[in-house]
Amino acid sequence: MNQSEENKKKVIVRVCIGTGGLAAGGKEVIEAFKKAIADFCVDIDLDFTCHYQKVGCRGFCARDVLVDVVDGDTSVTYQGIKPDIAKRIVEEHLIKGEPVKEWLIDDSYHAFHAKQLKILLKDCGTIDPEDIHAYVKVGGYDAIKKILSSMIPEDVIAEIKASGIRGRGGAGFPTGVKWEACRKAPGDVKYIVCNADEGDPGAFMDRSIIEGNPHSVIEGMMIAAYAVGSNLGYVYIRAEYPAAVDRLKLAMAQAHEMGYLGNNLFGSGFSFDLRIKLGAGAFVCGEETALIASIEGERGMPRAKPPFPVQKGLWGKPTVINNVETLSNIPYIIRNGAAWYSSIGTEKSKGTKVFALTGKVKNTGLIEVPMGIRLGEIIYDIGGGIIGDKKFKAVQTGGPSGGCIPAELLDTPVDYESLGRVGSIIGSGGMVVLDETNCMVNIAKFFLEFTQAESCGKCVPCRIGTKRLLEILDRITKGLGREGDIELLEGLCAGVKSASLCGLGQTAPNPILSTLKYFRSEYETHIREKKCPAKVCKDLLTYSIIDAACTGCGACKRACPAGAISGEKKKPHRIDPEMCIKCGACFDTCKFASVDRE
Amino acid sequence: MAGLATVFGSGAMTNSIPEIVNNDLIFVIGSNTTETHPIIGLKMKKAFRKGAKLIVADPRRIDLVRFADLWLRQKPGTDVALLNSMMHVILRESLEDNEFIANHAEGFEQFRASLAEFTPEVGEKITGVPKAKIREAAVLYANAERAAIYYTMGMTQHTHGTDNVFSIANLALMTGNLGRESVGVNPLRGQNNVQGASDMACAPDVLPGYQKVDALQVRERFEKEWGVVLPGKAGLTATEMTEAALNGSLKAMYIMGENPVLSDPDMRHTVKALKNLEFLVVQDIFLTETAALADVVLPASSFAEKDGTFTNTERRVQRVRKVLTPPGDAREDSWIIAEISKRLGYEMKYHAMEDVMQEIGRLWPAMAGISYSRIEKRGLQWPCPTSDHPGTPYLFKGGFPRGKGRFTTVPYRPSAELPDGEYPFLLSTGRQLFQYHTGTMTRKTSAIEAIAGGRPYVEIHPDDAARLHIADGQKITVSSRRGSIEIAARITERPLEGMVFIPFHFTEAAANVLTNTALDPVCKIPEFKVCAVKIEVS
Amino acid sequence: MVKVTIDGKTATVPEGITVLDAAKRLHITIPTLCHHPKLSPFGGCRLCLVEIKGVPRPVTSCTTPVADGMEATTTSPNLENLRRTVLELVLSDHPNDCMVCERAGDCTLQELAYSYGIRENRFEGERRTYAKRDGNPFIERDMEKCIMCGRCVKVCEEVEGVGAIDFAYRGFKSKICPPFERDLDCEFCGQCVAVCPTGALTGKLWKQKGRQKDVREVETTCGYCGCGCNLTLHVKGNEVTRVDSKAETLNEGWLCVKGRFGYSFIGSTERLTTPLIRREGKLEPASWDEALDYVAGRLKGIKEEHGSDALAGLSSARCTNEENYLFQKLIRAAIGTNNVDHCARY
Amino acid sequence: MSEILDDIIARYREKDGNVIFLLQETQEALGYIPEEAVGYFSKKLEIPSSRFFGVVTFYSQFHLKPRGKNIISVCCGTACHVKGGSKIADRVLRDLALSAEGETTEDGKFTFEIVRCVGACSIAPVVLVNNRAYAEMSADGTSKILREIKKKESDESK
């Protein structure tokens, strides 16, 4: 590098390499930029140097790969970038100064962000998660420094209590109260555990936070540790999240190097260190006591409460377990004050909540909204409505522990109490939108399949009860449902809910109960008429070809894996119902809508 | 057991089994407790769960080692050196209980001097246990609140078995670890009624209740009760009987429920002795190896076919009840004894078995308070002198029967026969979990035979096996100066290198073909635990 | 000490005990299946659920410690309904073969099904089916009857310190098995059999040896090692059909493989059933009178010829106190020598 | 193998390790959990084998048999399910001629697994091929990927 190189202006190309970004080719995009620049360098003496910044999830995964080009004070965002577009951006934008209009973000991008309030996700998509200085630059580790220099633990707890923050892992227990209980529990050795075993299908906010802003979690844990009197923390994280694990390890190493983890932090006498424990793939380990068992190296079978972990947790010592999102909020609360935080949200649910908005909405992605926003606003304003402008049917919140909320309740505010009232929960923040082509019995069955497979097997209601629930649902979707099945489901759901040992079993019936509550007629149609109104349940469907519409192109015949379709060219074809395996290949293949599914 | 009796005036477990769970330090030396006394093993495990520390001193990696905080792997036969050097450390670090010594013991000063030479360095040299571990064990034991020592035949079946027991007693006396709940010295008795058989004086020098035969007043009391004149000269011990049979001075033997052919050392020697008798009567439930040599065999009863009592290792007298009639013409042992006695002109008159118990109580005050009705539900531990006495869970609460406990100076003496060039391996013998003694009962129990029967084995260290090119399960020949057996090798890290171990239950490859008849000079116990053997690959 | 009220009855109980134990002190019975007083609490069967004032959902009384002022209810329509549901669920995954089950009449599950009068079961569906395989001669493991209470796992770990079995897999497929589902390879103490509340674990030796009727139970003391465990012999006719031990004994009901399973030697066909006298080198059957007269005659003869000390007796540490006493008395009083010893010397 | 396992044990002793750590490292090094490895750990560490087996079979991460060269994981989390993940799973089964999830093809080239949410719900349905995520997949698209891998495999073996 010669002197002139150093004097050149710096252009930053910021690329999303969250899971969505990676899957869409984030890394390849960076390589393409590098290659394009190198190619141009051969012929032209560029008047800038290009720096690359990999950032975590920016939320709008549906438009990945998202690329920011930052040139001095101006920042331009591109969406849907593929590697082959990089060359054009380099040539037209970086060299000639003309942004490439057709790939610039559009209105949907703005609409997606308009109603969001980003606290956690703000830094998540902008700072380099692999550089501790990036976090420090935006105020990172100020909160812990502030605490260590000016607050006693009880003050910290009071501040957290005043902020009103409640656990973001599912149950919504007030965080400050939990800390206080642990602080007061007798014992010299206490632990802080960060629950990053995000197991809910349809939720990925914790992963995104760790990938995008790992230091905020570490700082949150430090604050919690100081408040309860702990010197050692564990991050229990899914082994299935290798990128997040690597980020976290790197962040820990950097924090150690900077003296932010270890002994006598900032000369305060307070020491704190962290260890990582990899979860080995068991949903139930999201449950506090199962998680403790797992950290101890045991089968993740929940233990009876009381005693609660804050009294007798890891290795029998008082332990606070908070989830990633909760901990990540803590530094922001300390930095900006409890009053600021509690001004956001509703009376009982404070702050913002991150949701994974997925399913049949146009704008899928990770969103952060103030508590109290209405469901409809999320789905229509942020989510942009239903794909293909189909009819909205329900939104499933809270994963396998949650429920399905129908169209008539879209005005429901999103907070702990309101969602509870309509039979669902906020949970960890999964929000899956369903449209008219989704069968609600099938959805309930899907969740029961999940909980049944993930039941640890310790207690009877969950081990056998969820199995029996699933079997009843299965026979209903197969056209073998009987009168009385709905009542049987209701009775057993009630039993499993109140008799199960842990949260998994206690909430497993929720998807059934909420679909029964709002979509009972769908169950009845399955049972009495042996029909699936949404045309999902395979065994209740028959495929046939509408002679009048069939052109005899033969596409369906070629697609049929069972050889059930016959017919001469250019003449209407026939499906042999005996041979048909109801896979739907013909239906999907036919370009003339001549396959009838009933 | 003579050792403990000499020191304290009584030779039995000082504590009871339920006290084990409250130990905070358990020192197991020469006892494979979990295999030989499984239920006592469970109590120990319960204590470990409650936080008790465990020191195991054993040349073999026995199962208990899994639970041990400290494992001292002494060479077989070097226990005295190990214990002496532990005591050396205790004195050096002033951990002894001077108050206890002053009030309850005698002969300390002389004894103290004898320990001077047993530095941990010397201990390490003799025993092979690192001196740091010797020190650690000494400190752990001396500092514990509720320490108890447990030992069995690993201590006693040596030519210096009595010395070993003296050493254990010295250690306990020095630290004042006696006379309290969960604190004491506990020889675990190997068989269901060893304690009872000893109490009942099936022993040549005492009458029931450890009352000396040579004491005139004692004899007079018995003569009065029994109505005969009793001999005042001590008789022969079991091992002396074998010698007497060989030299012809003993002509006839009546053996009840015992199988010395398999259980005594040097099997060929034993068989020769028994064959040399003019007349041999054996009373048993099976045709044992010994019964097969008899002139008359009398069919007797199993424990389920008779009424009576057993006294377990903690001195607890418990009921045995008749639930079956003996098979065929078999009879209860007591009936047989009485019939023979009658035919010898001495009639034994009892209406019921309990009459016998009452007679015992009249002659031995420690059992005077025990009657069948009192032990209907739960047994009582002697001493129990009166019918309202609750029994005695632990001994020496107020002091020792002989007044003060006596320190005994114990020099280190090597075992009688140690490995040499010709017989380079050290053989130790003992039991395994599934079998019992000579197998008279267990080997006739088909389920046990299926899992652990008919497969005698010799444990050999992997390094030795590798050196001799022995494969696991391979038949090898083990020979001593007395005989040789063919037996399957079991390669395991349980024994020390240079050491082999054979369980003695199996007649097919009887360990006691090999063992040495050398006796402890006091107790006349043979040295089952150490002899020299060689190994040849067949 | 804390004050608790259970079903309206108030008592002062030690701090730290469970609601279940407190109820026991008040003579209130709460149904249980997985609970065992000597093992750590599990809370898996959910039968012992109770309602506690101020607690939103029922809690298991076997795991919940008492608190001062606690008010608990052990029975209510809701609780009984839950218990019934739980039992029906358990039975829906349990073979319906009490008629041939070795545990019938001694089975907690059967007892509960009986007391709740469960004849019809609302639930049906897949039942776990396992091929029976276990190559050991002591313990029959019929895991289809296993209700996953975990007592066997805990007794093996907490009491025996062995850990030969553990829970494996999860959910409906969970089962208790030796590692890699191989045959049981352990100490065969049978503690697991003793604590199993159903027919999942039984003694192989018990098989078809008799049910409750005509079986007598007699308390006695084990004839093996020096521990002196208290045994209960189950006797039918003139045969010991089973051995176990009661929980309130000194050995707490625990036994070892020999004590629990090593009893069949009693009925061995190899037992000596008649006196034998050696004639021309061979041992031949004889009558008692013949044998006893012969023995007495020979002993008397030798004594007369060589003196009392030419005779000796060797007794046994396996015989009773009374027998040993009589034996030495015979040797001393009838023969007149102190040449008497026993094998305990070793 | 014992050298690998000894190394794992050494690291286990260094950290406040546990059974799960041992197994994770073993699987990382050997690709699965062989019975002999468990026996080895059990003997060296005096932890009953039954505990290892209990843990191995509890967590879905662990495998008792070697897995195929290529791991095809179809996500069947909620978002993927509502967008047709199960159809993709059916197709993979058919293409690889397997009868159930979790199986490995006879030639050892492919293992097919259903995973419960990989946390990439906004790009559902997702298929992971050797841990690389493919966004918004279809049954046909998956078939195409499988064909490509098969071709590459057969080219390599030539």
Side-chain angles (χ1 to χ4, degrees), chain A residues 356-432:
Chain A
L357 181 61
T358 62
K360 302 290 182 65
V361 281
K362 287 177 186 157
N363 302 335
T364 56
L366 203 61
I367 62 167
E368 184 173 0
V369 290
M371 288 285 191
I373 189 172
R374 287 170 203 280
L375 276 171
E377 292 178 273
I378 293 180
I379 292 161
Y380 287 99
D381 298 342
I382 298 174
I386 308 300
I387 298 171
D389 291 317
K390 290 209 167 98
K391 213 173 125 199
F392 169 85
K393 188 175 208 173
V395 56
Q396 207 283 339
T397 68
S401 308
C404 293
I405 303 164
E408 59 268 29
L409 292 174
L410 280 178
D411 267 348
T412 308
V414 176
D415 60 60
Y416 292 105
E417 280 72 27
S418 304
L419 287 194
R421 263 195 299 279
V422 299
S424 188
I425 59 168
I426 285 186
S428 56
M431 200 174 263
V432 186

Side-chain angles (χ1 to χ4, degrees), chain A residues 23 61 201-202 204 207 234 238 278 280-281 294-295 297-300 358-360 364 434 442 446-447 450 561 588, chain D residues 16 18-20 24 51 54-55 58-61 76-79 81-83 87 94 116-123:
Chain A
C61 310
F204 55 95
R207 151 184 218 161
Y234 285 89
R238 286 180 81 181
L278 295 187
S294 188
I295 294 183
E298 308 277 336
R299 290 162 59 85
T358 62
K360 302 290 182 65
T364 56
L434 309 172
N442 173 278
F446 166 79
F447 281 114
F450 179 83
D588 293 339
Chain D
D16 66 319
N18 61 32
V19 167
I20 295 176
Q24 282 171 333
R51 246 191 82 200
V55 169
F58 187 86
Y59 294 101
S60 54
Q61 184 193 359
C76 283
T78 321
H81 174 76
V82 301
K83 286 188 163 177
K87 274 191 182 169
R94 220 171 70 202
R116 304 273 175 186
C117 197
V118 295
C121 317
S122 53
I123 51 171

Side-chain angles (χ1 to χ4, degrees), chain A residues 51-65:
Chain A
H51 297 260
Y52 302 93
Q53 220 181 62
K54 298 178 225 164
V55 296
C57 183
R58 316 179 35 162
F60 204 12
C61 310
R63 297 289 186 278
D64 270 328
V65 177

Side-chain angles (χ1 to χ4, degrees), chain C residues 229-250:
Chain C
C229 294
N230 302 154
L231 304 182
T232 305
L233 303 185
H234 297 235
V235 184
K236 188 174 183 178
N238 201 40
E239 187 184 8
V240 174
T241 57
R242 188 185 295 192
V243 171
D244 59 17
S245 180
K246 300 212 157 44
E248 62 273 15
T249 55
L250 285 161

Side-chain angles (χ1 to χ4, degrees), chain B residues 481-521:
Chain B
R481 290 186 172 84
R482 293 154 293 278
S484 101
I485 57 172
E486 199 174 72
I487 189 165
R490 179 179 286 184
I491 299 175
T492 158
E493 283 171 16
R494 289 190 107 195
L496 274 166
E497 213 182 323
M499 170 185 174
V500 293
F501 174 87
I502 303 177
F504 73 95
H505 317 288
F506 302 98
T507 182
E508 303 93 320
N512 282 326
V513 167
L514 308 170
T515 44
N516 192 359
T517 51
L519 301 181
D520 177 270

Side-chain angles (χ1 to χ4, degrees), chain C residues 86-100:
Chain C
V86 164
L87 277 175
E88 282 182 73
L89 286 172
V90 172
L91 292 167
S92 76
D93 186 30
H94 192 88
N96 203 357
D97 66 353
C98 296
M99 56 290 279
V100 290

